[in-house]
Amino acid sequence: MLEFDGLYKAYGDNQVLEGVSFTVAPGQMFGFCGSNGAGKTTTMRIAMGLARADAGEVRWLGRPVDEAVRRRIGYMPEERGLYPKMKVGEQLTYFARLHGLDAAPAARAAETWAERLGLGERRGDRVEKLSLGNQQRVQLAAALVSEPDVLILDEPFSGLDPVGVDSLAEALLEQCRRGVPVVFSSHQLDLVERLCDAVGILARGKIVASGTVGELRSGAAGRQLRVVAPDAPPGWAAAVPGVRVVSEQRADVVLELGPGTDDQQVLAAALSTGRVTHFAWREPTLVELFRGAVTDTREVAA
Amino acid sequence: MTTTEIRPHTPAQLVRLVAGREISTRIRDKGFLIGSGVLILLILGMLVFQVAVNSGGESTKLGVVGGSAAVTDALTAQGEALDTDVSVVDYDDEAAARRAVQDGDVDAALLSPSAAQPELLVEKSGGSAETIAQGAVQGMAVDQQLADAGVQLQSPPRVDVVALDPDADADLEAAVVALVGVVVLYSLLILFGQFVAQGVVEEKSSRVVELLLATMRPWQLLAGKILGLGLLGLAQMLVIAVVGVAGALAFDVVELPGRLIGTVLTVVAWFVLGYAFYASVFAAAASLVSRQEDLASVITPASVLLVVGFVISIQAAQEPTGTLSTVTSFIPGLSPLVMPVRQAAGGAEWWEVVLAVVLMLVAIAAIVRVGGRIYAGALLRTGGKVKLRDAMRAERA
């Protein structure tokens, strides 16, 4: 288990983190979401020892993350960082060695990862000569080259084209299958929803929602039911007890059911008007969940 | 790949890894290669210049018509008195001699030297050939007249020379060698100080420092960088020293090879101390900025100190016992440039050298401590220029 436990951090008067806690299981892909400035990067930097928490700690397998553990963590910082004048292959070998590999295995790993991320032919090129997308791949290769036990990636998908996103996603899923816990932050919530087993939403220095996407959905207030009954007269749904109409556009209505209201009663009412072409629970998207979670805290904070 | 291949590093291994990267990157760097080449050429140039100056004793070729062994001897002896090598070529007649002068085969031609009215043919008047011929003819004439008068000549007594300061020449020579050494030392300190500073800023500006610090402590990164570049600098210093000493011995430029080598070793030792001092200062200063463009503004004070030391060392070579050179040879930062010159010129007692070294070591220890703290505090702060005070206060804020 990778545990983030009660992290507090203030820069001067600015309290950035106020007790951030979440856990990531081995083989789990954890999507770390939050508005700009919510403290995602600070949380990750604390895990990597680049910032010091005022309180709280990060643990891996029950042991506080120290330098020895960190060498087994693959990290991709938000501000990308590579030696611009160093060749791709040498650079990857160097990072592999810094993470504890011997010279020969490090060179082999560098070659393997350059190949796997489609950089095989660019191994002898200086990083500064590569396109931004390819530099991003080198950055990822630098995080993966030591076959780390844990991956912490800050905005790994930003700046990638759809093909790049797919190949990065595939690489991360493969790491998960190896049993590596992967934490990554992203603003692309559709991507997080697609890839992640678990999600944590950070707002105002706290995790305001966390769990699997399914758990978040079930916890979300007011699930909505969409019914399309083309022949129904306007206002049919409002007549059903325990139902609130959220929106009604001709035959297409979105409903919220009160507690204890049976969706089958609604279906029966709809069928009594004639044909029903659509009847389904609408799953809130992560975007909606995110908005809900972030706004809730704003209201509390206000 | 299995995890058995992965072992945690000891700090020494990390420092070695960083140092290795610095060396392998720099050794292929164009700036480094060009700089090294220029320095070695400079040393060779100085040697060739020395050789040219030393062999600068003049030589004159004189043609003689109607000469004899006595004439040749007189001309050669006269030449020696004037520090000129005289070679004599005999010609059968005036016409041949005249041609030789016109063709430039000889500098001048002396006609019938033993006669009552000798004649000297030259392209144009003036020059040492005239003086030599004149002196030789006069000497022979006086000898002839004395012999004719029946005076028996005895060899004049030889003057014994007693040198009151027999080392003076050697001291001067050693001081010159030390000064040349200080020029190299100064150039290498500037060069490698720059390398350290640029390397620090490169890591900051490219943000690669975040990845590095996720695997090591700031002091390990700093130590690796300084040691790696320092080894390279020392290697370069030694190459230059070997080239210089070998060249000096081969061209026979110096009188006392033993002292030459001693002086060169002194300079190399002071280079090590000077580098440790300036590299730490440059690294700490460079860590305050995030862009190469801002580098000059933070390393200027340290560079100025180096220049001042260099200027004083030149002055010290001329006046090794002066107050200025004596005082500055103890000041850390200046001592690596001034003390070797004083030592070479014989102006420093052994305890003075020890004191200067101890002061320098104390200063290095302090600089490494304070500089390391500044470096650690400023390394992760990108953006503008970090204030010295903030860097001191905040290690990994």
Side-chain angles (χ1 to χ4, degrees):
Chain A
M1 281 295 204
L2 178 66
E3 298 165 85
F4 291 74
D5 188 6
L7 299 180
Y8 282 82
K9 177 71 184 174
Y11 288 105
D13 293 336
N14 183 16
Q15 189 71 41
V16 182
L17 303 183
E18 295 181 64
V20 170
S21 302
F22 60 93
T23 57
V24 188
Q28 198 175 42
M29 179 101 72
F30 187 91
F32 199 26
C33 313
S35 332
N36 294 325
K40 303 185 294 287
T41 295
T42 303
T43 306
M44 293 183 163
R45 283 169 63 93
I46 287 172
M48 294 316 296
L50 299 170
R52 194 180 284 151
D54 298 334
E57 67 177 4
V58 182
R59 285 185 297 271
W60 167 238
L61 302 176
R63 174 181 165 195
V65 171
D66 58 9
E67 272 167 59
V69 174
R70 257 174 228 130
R71 259 170 233 146
R72 304 298 313 129
I73 301 181
Y75 173 55
M76 193 160 163
E78 183 190 27
E79 305 255 24
R80 307 289 181 245
L82 294 166
Y83 284 106
K85 295 193 188 306
M86 222 172 156
K87 288 176 182 168
V88 172
E90 287 171 11
Q91 186 134 228
L92 293 179
T93 307
Y94 181 58
F95 282 115
R97 296 209 64 191
L98 285 183
H99 281 88
L101 268 68
D102 286 335
R108 268 205 308 277
E111 199 172 326
T112 311
W113 278 103
E115 209 63 56
R116 275 167 89 168
L117 292 175
L119 295 163
E121 287 171 11
R122 315 305 301 270
R123 271 213 314 278
D125 289 352
R126 288 172 169 205
V127 168
E128 63 187 355
K129 287 193 178 159
L130 268 51
S131 68
L132 279 180
N134 274 340
Q135 289 190 17
Q136 184 107 328
R137 289 176 195 214
V138 179
Q139 195 80 53
L140 179 74
L144 291 172
V145 72
S146 59
E147 302 270 329
D149 298 340
V150 177
L151 275 176
I152 295 183
L153 313 169
D154 203 348
E155 297 283 351
F157 292 98
S158 77
L160 286 183
D161 63 21
V163 178
V165 167
D166 285 349
S167 70
L168 173 56
E170 185 44 50
L172 295 188
L173 286 170
E174 195 187 308
Q175 294 299 309
C176 283
R177 287 195 288 273
R178 261 182 65 216
V180 171
V182 177
V183 180
F184 76 87
S185 66
S186 182
H187 285 294
Q188 285 148 283
L189 296 170
D190 53 330
L191 204 62
V192 173
E193 190 169 3
R194 184 153 65 93
L195 289 176
C196 292
D197 313 308
V199 178
I201 297 175
L202 186 66
R204 305 270 150 156
K206 282 197 180 87
I207 295 283
V208 290
S210 74
T212 64
V213 176
E215 282 167 358
L216 291 188
R217 281 194 181 121
S218 61
R223 296 170 75 204
Q224 295 179 334
L225 189 64
R226 179 165 166 239
V227 184
V228 181
D231 307 328
W236 70 269
V240 183
V243 167
R244 193 173 74 80
V245 178
V246 178
S247 71
E248 181 164 7
Q249 282 189 334
R250 287 190 291 180
D252 189 342
V253 293
V254 176
L255 311 171
E256 246 173 39
L257 272 57
T261 307
D262 187 358
D263 53 3
Q264 296 307 310
Q265 277 183 4
V266 181
L267 178 60
L271 282 169
S272 69
T273 66
R275 288 190 309 131
V276 174
T277 56
H278 184 97
F279 180 88
W281 282 103
R282 232 186 66 165
E283 300 284 3
T285 63
L286 191 56
V287 177
E288 287 163 316
L289 291 172
F290 177 79
R291 260 189 217 121
V294 171
T295 353
D296 278 354
T297 31
R298 289 234 168 98
E299 280 160 10
V300 172
Chain B
M1 183 171 314
T2 59
T3 40
T4 52
E5 287 176 279
I6 295 157
R7 290 169 287 130
H9 286 300
T10 63
Q13 281 173 312
L14 280 169
V15 169
R16 248 205 321 272
L17 272 175
V18 175
R21 196 200 79 86
E22 293 295 336
I23 293 175
S24 70
T25 313
R26 260 319 156 188
I27 217 158
R28 288 175 291 178
D29 181 78
K30 271 199 204 106
F32 170 73
L33 292 175
I34 292 172
S36 312
V38 166
L39 269 173
I40 289 179
L41 280 181
L42 203 72
I43 294 294
L44 288 177
M46 278 196 238
L47 278 174
V48 170
F49 179 73
Q50 276 292 321
V51 171
V53 169
N54 275 8
S55 63
E58 299 204 9
S59 67
T60 298
K61 218 170 177 187
L62 284 175
V64 176
V65 178
S68 62
V71 172
T72 306
D73 284 349
L75 285 170
T76 314
Q78 194 65 33
E80 260 166 33
L82 290 169
D83 205 12
T84 302
D85 279 339
V86 175
S87 49
V88 175
V89 185
D90 282 313
Y91 290 100
D92 291 338
D93 54 25
E94 190 186 327
R98 194 177 285 275
R99 229 181 359 261
V101 173
Q102 276 166 350
D103 294 350
D105 289 346
V106 294
D107 297 307
L110 185 59
L111 306 181
S112 38
S114 312
Q117 193 51 322
E119 231 184 314
L120 187 69
L121 297 178
V122 289
E123 282 255 72
K124 54 182 176 21
S125 55
S128 56
E130 240 178 272
T131 325
I132 291 166
Q134 187 68 48
V137 169
Q138 270 174 13
M140 283 193 301
V142 170
D143 284 355
Q144 189 59 47
Q145 282 164 33
L146 288 173
D148 289 351
V151 178
Q152 201 61 41
L153 283 178
Q154 286 181 339
S155 348
R158 211 183 133 75
V159 176
D160 262 348
V161 179
V162 180
L164 289 177
D165 187 0
D167 287 346
D169 261 3
D171 280 351
L172 182 65
E173 184 181 289
V176 170
V177 170
L179 195 58
V180 172
V182 165
V183 171
V184 174
L185 183 145
Y186 168 77
S187 314
L188 287 185
L189 283 184
I190 290 271
L191 190 67
F192 281 86
Q194 285 277 353
F195 284 167
V196 169
Q198 284 167 1
V200 169
V201 176
E202 187 199 22
E203 280 168 3
K204 250 190 112 173
S205 65
S206 69
R207 320 274 177 157
V208 74
V209 71
E210 290 218 356
L211 276 185
L212 299 174
L213 290 188
T215 60
M216 69 179 92
R217 297 249 174 104
W219 74 262
Q220 292 163 341
L221 182 58
L222 183 62
K225 188 174 283 301
I226 289 182
L227 283 181
L229 290 172
L231 283 178
L232 202 57
L234 185 60
Q236 192 169 9
M237 186 91 195
L238 288 174
V239 166
I240 291 172
V242 168
V243 167
V245 169
L249 296 182
F251 292 136
D252 206 14
V253 174
V254 290
E255 311 269 332
L256 291 170
R259 258 190 98 166
L260 168 73
I261 292 167
T263 301
V264 168
L265 287 180
T266 308
V267 172
V268 171
W270 275 110
F271 169 76
V272 173
L273 290 177
Y275 173 79
F277 181 91
Y278 282 103
S280 312
V281 173
F282 276 52
S287 70
L288 297 174
V289 296
S290 312
R291 300 185 307 159
Q292 300 284 3
E293 298 93 303
D294 298 334
L295 191 54
S297 68
V298 286
I299 62 171
T300 301
S303 312
V304 167
L305 191 65
L306 252 176
V307 174
V308 167
F310 182 54
V311 171
I312 294 176
S313 73
I314 293 172
Q315 202 266 343
Q318 291 155 348
E319 201 187 342
T321 49
T323 314
L324 181 65
S325 54
T326 309
V327 171
T328 50
S329 66
F330 294 108
I331 297 176
L334 298 178
S335 52
L337 296 150
V338 182
M339 193 48 113
V341 176
R342 272 194 71 205
Q343 275 175 270
E349 300 290 333
W350 67 267
W351 64 265
E352 290 185 306
V353 179
V354 170
L355 180 59
V357 170
V358 168
L359 285 176
M360 190 67 186
L361 287 174
V362 169
I364 290 170
I367 294 271
V368 166
R369 237 185 140 73
V370 176
R373 203 164 141 193
I374 294 171
Y375 180 80
L379 214 48
L380 288 170
R381 299 186 161 208
T382 45
K385 190 170 151 185
V386 182
K387 286 207 186 84
L388 207 55
R389 198 157 24 108
D390 293 346
M392 290 288 284
R393 222 182 308 149
E395 190 187 343
R396 296 207 176 188

